[in-house]
Amino acid sequence: GGCTASQLLVNPGFESGNTGWTTSSGVIDNSTGAPAHSGSYKAWLDGYGTTHTDTLSQSVTIPATCTSANLTFYLYISTQETSTTTAYDKLTLAAGTTTLATYSNLNHSTGYVQKTVSLSPYIGKTVTLKFTGTEDASLATSFLIDD
């Protein structure tokens, strides 16, 4: 609201590979081992079944004329974990040093689920959005992000 609605992220569907994104090795992926939400590419964090951390980030400037701003994305969590109470493997979304959302093996699904997080506190600012996936020493959890 208050500004022309537009996509502020560069390469939001990852179809241009790493363009616009800073990642740990191999995160932006077009393999058939896990599906993309659309197109061929997605960001695939973790899924190794060993102690591992993956990151995906991009800096974005939100125009000061906007009255609202959101980050909307599709998330697919596939896990081998069987616990219904313990978050062994986690995905955090941060804006700068502030955690906006946390997901885990407990949020696993059978496909992509749309998520929306408010970025309104960052209107008029440049902020780095960062996904961090952390996996423990056994049983894999894959965090797939797209679009």
CSV table of all heavy atoms in Angstrom, one decimal, residues 77-109:
chain,number,residue,atom,x,y,z
A,77,ILE,N,8.8,-28.7,3.7
A,77,ILE,CA,9.7,-29.3,4.7
A,77,ILE,C,9.5,-30.8,4.6
A,77,ILE,O,8.4,-31.3,4.9
A,77,ILE,CB,9.5,-28.8,6.1
A,77,ILE,CG1,9.7,-27.3,6.1
A,77,ILE,CG2,10.4,-29.5,7.1
A,77,ILE,CD1,9.3,-26.6,7.5
A,78,SER,N,10.5,-31.5,4.2
A,78,SER,CA,10.5,-33.0,4.2
A,78,SER,C,11.5,-33.5,5.2
A,78,SER,O,12.6,-33.1,5.2
A,78,SER,CB,10.9,-33.5,2.8
A,78,SER,OG,10.9,-34.9,2.7
A,79,THR,N,11.0,-34.5,6.0
A,79,THR,CA,11.9,-34.9,7.1
A,79,THR,C,11.9,-36.4,7.3
A,79,THR,O,10.8,-37.1,7.1
A,79,THR,CB,11.6,-34.2,8.4
A,79,THR,OG1,12.6,-34.5,9.4
A,79,THR,CG2,10.2,-34.6,8.9
A,80,GLN,N,13.0,-37.0,7.8
A,80,GLN,CA,13.1,-38.3,8.3
A,80,GLN,C,12.9,-38.4,9.8
A,80,GLN,O,12.7,-39.5,10.3
A,80,GLN,CB,14.4,-39.0,7.9
A,80,GLN,CG,14.6,-39.1,6.4
A,80,GLN,CD,16.0,-39.6,6.1
A,80,GLN,OE1,16.9,-39.7,6.9
A,80,GLN,NE2,16.3,-39.8,4.8
A,81,GLU,N,12.8,-37.3,10.4
A,81,GLU,CA,12.6,-37.2,11.9
A,81,GLU,C,11.2,-37.8,12.2
A,81,GLU,O,10.3,-37.5,11.5
A,81,GLU,CB,12.8,-35.8,12.4
A,81,GLU,CG,14.1,-35.2,12.2
A,81,GLU,CD,15.2,-35.7,13.1
A,81,GLU,OE1,14.9,-36.6,14.0
A,81,GLU,OE2,16.3,-35.2,13.0
A,82,THR,N,11.1,-38.5,13.3
A,82,THR,CA,9.8,-39.1,13.7
A,82,THR,C,9.2,-38.4,14.9
A,82,THR,O,8.0,-38.7,15.2
A,82,THR,CB,9.9,-40.6,13.9
A,82,THR,OG1,10.9,-40.8,15.0
A,82,THR,CG2,10.4,-41.3,12.7
A,83,SER,N,9.9,-37.6,15.6
A,83,SER,CA,9.4,-36.9,16.8
A,83,SER,C,8.3,-36.0,16.5
A,83,SER,O,8.3,-35.3,15.4
A,83,SER,CB,10.5,-36.2,17.5
A,83,SER,OG,10.0,-35.4,18.6
A,84,THR,N,7.3,-36.0,17.3
A,84,THR,CA,6.2,-35.0,17.2
A,84,THR,C,6.3,-33.9,18.2
A,84,THR,O,5.4,-33.1,18.3
A,84,THR,CB,4.8,-35.7,17.3
A,84,THR,OG1,4.8,-36.4,18.6
A,84,THR,CG2,4.6,-36.8,16.2
A,85,THR,N,7.4,-33.9,18.9
A,85,THR,CA,7.5,-32.9,20.0
A,85,THR,C,8.8,-32.1,20.0
A,85,THR,O,8.9,-31.0,20.6
A,85,THR,CB,7.4,-33.5,21.4
A,85,THR,OG1,8.4,-34.6,21.5
A,85,THR,CG2,6.0,-34.1,21.6
A,86,THR,N,9.9,-32.7,19.3
A,86,THR,CA,11.2,-32.1,19.4
A,86,THR,C,11.6,-31.5,18.0
A,86,THR,O,11.6,-32.3,17.0
A,86,THR,CB,12.2,-33.1,19.9
A,86,THR,OG1,11.8,-33.6,21.2
A,86,THR,CG2,13.6,-32.4,20.0
A,87,ALA,N,12.0,-30.3,18.0
A,87,ALA,CA,12.5,-29.6,16.8
A,87,ALA,C,14.1,-29.9,16.7
A,87,ALA,O,14.8,-29.2,17.3
A,87,ALA,CB,12.2,-28.2,16.8
A,88,TYR,N,14.4,-30.9,16.0
A,88,TYR,CA,15.8,-31.3,15.9
A,88,TYR,C,16.5,-30.4,14.8
A,88,TYR,O,17.7,-30.0,14.9
A,88,TYR,CB,16.0,-32.7,15.5
A,88,TYR,CG,15.6,-33.7,16.6
A,88,TYR,CD1,14.5,-34.4,16.5
A,88,TYR,CD2,16.4,-33.8,17.7
A,88,TYR,CE1,14.1,-35.3,17.6
A,88,TYR,CE2,16.1,-34.7,18.8
A,88,TYR,CZ,14.9,-35.4,18.7
A,88,TYR,OH,14.6,-36.3,19.7
A,89,ASP,N,15.8,-30.2,13.7
A,89,ASP,CA,16.3,-29.4,12.6
A,89,ASP,C,15.5,-28.2,12.3
A,89,ASP,O,14.3,-28.3,12.4
A,89,ASP,CB,16.3,-30.3,11.3
A,89,ASP,CG,16.9,-31.7,11.5
A,89,ASP,OD1,18.0,-31.7,12.2
A,89,ASP,OD2,16.4,-32.7,11.1
A,90,LYS,N,16.2,-27.1,12.1
A,90,LYS,CA,15.4,-25.8,12.1
A,90,LYS,C,15.8,-24.9,10.9
A,90,LYS,O,16.9,-24.9,10.5
A,90,LYS,CB,15.7,-25.0,13.4
A,90,LYS,CG,15.2,-25.7,14.7
A,90,LYS,CD,15.5,-24.9,15.9
A,90,LYS,CE,15.1,-25.6,17.2
A,90,LYS,NZ,15.5,-24.9,18.4
A,91,LEU,N,14.8,-24.1,10.5
A,91,LEU,CA,15.0,-23.1,9.5
A,91,LEU,C,14.6,-21.8,10.1
A,91,LEU,O,13.4,-21.7,10.6
A,91,LEU,CB,14.2,-23.4,8.3
A,91,LEU,CG,14.3,-22.3,7.1
A,91,LEU,CD1,15.6,-22.4,6.5
A,91,LEU,CD2,13.1,-22.5,6.1
A,92,THR,N,15.5,-20.8,10.2
A,92,THR,CA,15.1,-19.5,10.7
A,92,THR,C,15.2,-18.5,9.5
A,92,THR,O,16.0,-18.6,8.6
A,92,THR,CB,16.0,-19.0,11.8
A,92,THR,OG1,17.4,-19.0,11.3
A,92,THR,CG2,16.0,-20.0,13.0
A,93,LEU,N,14.2,-17.5,9.6
A,93,LEU,CA,14.2,-16.4,8.6
A,93,LEU,C,14.5,-15.2,9.5
A,93,LEU,O,13.7,-14.9,10.4
A,93,LEU,CB,12.9,-16.3,7.9
A,93,LEU,CG,12.6,-15.0,7.2
A,93,LEU,CD1,13.6,-14.8,6.1
A,93,LEU,CD2,11.2,-15.1,6.6
A,94,ALA,N,15.5,-14.4,9.1
A,94,ALA,CA,15.8,-13.2,9.8
A,94,ALA,C,15.9,-12.0,8.9
A,94,ALA,O,16.2,-12.1,7.7
A,94,ALA,CB,17.2,-13.4,10.5
A,95,ALA,N,15.6,-10.9,9.5
A,95,ALA,CA,15.8,-9.6,8.8
A,95,ALA,C,16.8,-8.9,9.6
A,95,ALA,O,16.6,-8.5,10.8
A,95,ALA,CB,14.5,-8.8,8.7
A,96,GLY,N,18.1,-8.8,9.1
A,96,GLY,CA,19.2,-8.3,9.9
A,96,GLY,C,19.4,-9.2,11.0
A,96,GLY,O,19.6,-10.4,10.8
A,97,THR,N,19.4,-8.7,12.3
A,97,THR,CA,19.6,-9.5,13.4
A,97,THR,C,18.3,-10.0,14.1
A,97,THR,O,18.3,-10.6,15.1
A,97,THR,CB,20.4,-8.8,14.5
A,97,THR,OG1,19.8,-7.6,14.8
A,97,THR,CG2,21.8,-8.4,13.9
A,98,THR,N,17.1,-9.6,13.5
A,98,THR,CA,15.8,-9.9,14.1
A,98,THR,C,15.2,-11.2,13.4
A,98,THR,O,15.1,-11.2,12.2
A,98,THR,CB,14.9,-8.8,13.9
A,98,THR,OG1,15.4,-7.6,14.5
A,98,THR,CG2,13.5,-9.1,14.5
A,99,THR,N,14.9,-12.2,14.2
A,99,THR,CA,14.3,-13.4,13.7
A,99,THR,C,12.8,-13.1,13.4
A,99,THR,O,12.1,-12.7,14.3
A,99,THR,CB,14.5,-14.6,14.7
A,99,THR,OG1,15.8,-14.9,14.9
A,99,THR,CG2,13.7,-15.8,14.2
A,100,LEU,N,12.4,-13.4,12.2
A,100,LEU,CA,11.0,-13.2,11.8
A,100,LEU,C,10.2,-14.4,11.9
A,100,LEU,O,9.0,-14.3,12.2
A,100,LEU,CB,11.0,-12.6,10.4
A,100,LEU,CG,11.7,-11.4,10.1
A,100,LEU,CD1,11.6,-11.0,8.6
A,100,LEU,CD2,11.2,-10.2,10.9
A,101,ALA,N,10.8,-15.6,11.7
A,101,ALA,CA,10.0,-16.8,11.7
A,101,ALA,C,11.0,-18.0,11.9
A,101,ALA,O,12.2,-17.9,11.5
A,101,ALA,CB,9.2,-17.0,10.4
A,102,THR,N,10.5,-19.0,12.5
A,102,THR,CA,11.3,-20.3,12.7
A,102,THR,C,10.4,-21.4,12.3
A,102,THR,O,9.2,-21.5,12.8
A,102,THR,CB,11.7,-20.4,14.2
A,102,THR,OG1,12.5,-19.3,14.5
A,102,THR,CG2,12.6,-21.7,14.3
A,103,TYR,N,11.0,-22.3,11.6
A,103,TYR,CA,10.3,-23.6,11.2
A,103,TYR,C,11.2,-24.7,11.5
A,103,TYR,O,12.4,-24.6,11.7
A,103,TYR,CB,10.0,-23.6,9.7
A,103,TYR,CG,9.4,-22.3,9.2
A,103,TYR,CD1,10.1,-21.3,8.6
A,103,TYR,CD2,8.0,-22.1,9.3
A,103,TYR,CE1,9.6,-20.1,8.2
A,103,TYR,CE2,7.4,-20.9,8.9
A,103,TYR,CZ,8.2,-19.9,8.3
A,103,TYR,OH,7.6,-18.7,7.9
A,104,SER,N,10.6,-25.9,11.6
A,104,SER,CA,11.4,-27.1,12.0
A,104,SER,C,10.9,-28.4,11.4
A,104,SER,O,9.8,-28.4,10.7
A,104,SER,CB,11.5,-27.2,13.5
A,104,SER,OG,10.2,-27.8,14.0
A,105,ASN,N,11.5,-29.5,11.7
A,105,ASN,CA,11.0,-30.8,11.3
A,105,ASN,C,9.5,-31.0,11.7
A,105,ASN,O,8.8,-31.8,11.1
A,105,ASN,CB,11.9,-31.9,11.8
A,105,ASN,CG,12.2,-31.9,13.3
A,105,ASN,OD1,13.1,-31.1,13.7
A,105,ASN,ND2,11.5,-32.6,14.1
A,106,LEU,N,9.1,-30.3,12.8
A,106,LEU,CA,7.8,-30.5,13.3
A,106,LEU,C,6.7,-29.9,12.3
A,106,LEU,O,5.5,-30.2,12.4
A,106,LEU,CB,7.6,-29.8,14.7
A,106,LEU,CG,8.5,-30.4,15.8
A,106,LEU,CD1,8.3,-29.6,17.0
A,106,LEU,CD2,8.2,-31.9,16.0
A,107,ASN,N,7.2,-29.0,11.4
A,107,ASN,CA,6.3,-28.4,10.4
A,107,ASN,C,6.3,-29.0,9.1
A,107,ASN,O,6.0,-28.4,8.1
A,107,ASN,CB,6.7,-26.9,10.3
A,107,ASN,CG,6.8,-26.1,11.6
A,107,ASN,OD1,7.9,-25.7,12.0
A,107,ASN,ND2,5.7,-26.0,12.2
A,108,HIS,N,6.7,-30.3,9.1
A,108,HIS,CA,6.9,-31.0,7.8
A,108,HIS,C,5.5,-31.1,7.1
A,108,HIS,O,4.4,-31.0,7.7
A,108,HIS,CB,7.4,-32.4,8.0
A,108,HIS,CG,6.6,-33.3,8.8
A,108,HIS,ND1,5.6,-34.1,8.2
A,108,HIS,CD2,6.5,-33.6,10.1
A,108,HIS,CE1,5.0,-34.8,9.1
A,108,HIS,NE2,5.5,-34.5,10.3
A,109,SER,N,5.6,-31.2,5.7
A,109,SER,CA,4.3,-31.2,4.9
A,109,SER,C,4.5,-32.1,3.8
A,109,SER,O,5.6,-32.6,3.5
A,109,SER,CB,4.0,-29.8,4.4
A,109,SER,OG,5.1,-29.3,3.7
